């Protein structure tokens, strides 16, 4: 029998042990900015050394709202008019 294959985990945030896979998962769930990633998993909230890597992982097109904006669609839902 073959030994269990070890998963190659690339850590983005060593302070909180957050992996690239986790960041991508949060991005797929709708997190579009490093701040939203931080809210989801704390990555980028301690030393800040991983923020640029998070930005690179998010890149263009990683956010559904950004895709709508690129296509010229509405990004925010319409706000109700003030009474």
């Amino acid at each position: 029998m073959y030994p269990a294959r070890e998963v190659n985990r690339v850590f983005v945030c060593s302070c909180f042990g957050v992996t690239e896979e986790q960041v991508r998962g949060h991005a797929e769930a709708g997190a579009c900015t490093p701040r939203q990633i931080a809210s989801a998993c704390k990555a980028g909230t301690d030393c800040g050394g991983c923020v640029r890597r998070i930005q690179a992982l998010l890149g263009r097109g990683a956010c559904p709202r950004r895709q709508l904006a690129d296509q010229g669609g509405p990004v925010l839902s319409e706000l109700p008019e003030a009474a």
Side-chain angles (χ1 to χ4, degrees):
M1 196 94 213
Y2 295 106
R5 188 174 148 209
E6 216 176 288
V7 176
N8 185 14
R9 293 185 180 173
V10 177
F11 287 93
V12 173
C13 176
S14 56
C15 295
F16 294 105
V18 179
T19 64
E20 282 187 2
E21 183 179 348
Q22 289 171 305
V23 171
R24 287 190 182 106
H26 292 304
E28 288 174 9
C32 299
T33 65
R35 188 170 288 184
Q36 290 171 338
I37 295 293
S39 294
C41 63
K42 292 187 171 183
T45 62
D46 193 27
C47 76
C50 59
V51 174
R52 287 190 183 203
R53 180 69 181 137
I54 293 168
Q55 288 172 327
L57 286 170
L58 292 175
R60 287 268 316 149
C63 177
R65 285 181 274 167
R66 185 173 294 144
Q67 289 174 352
L68 285 174
D70 289 345
Q71 296 170 357
V75 177
L76 301 174
S77 57
E78 296 203 10
L79 301 173
E81 290 186 29

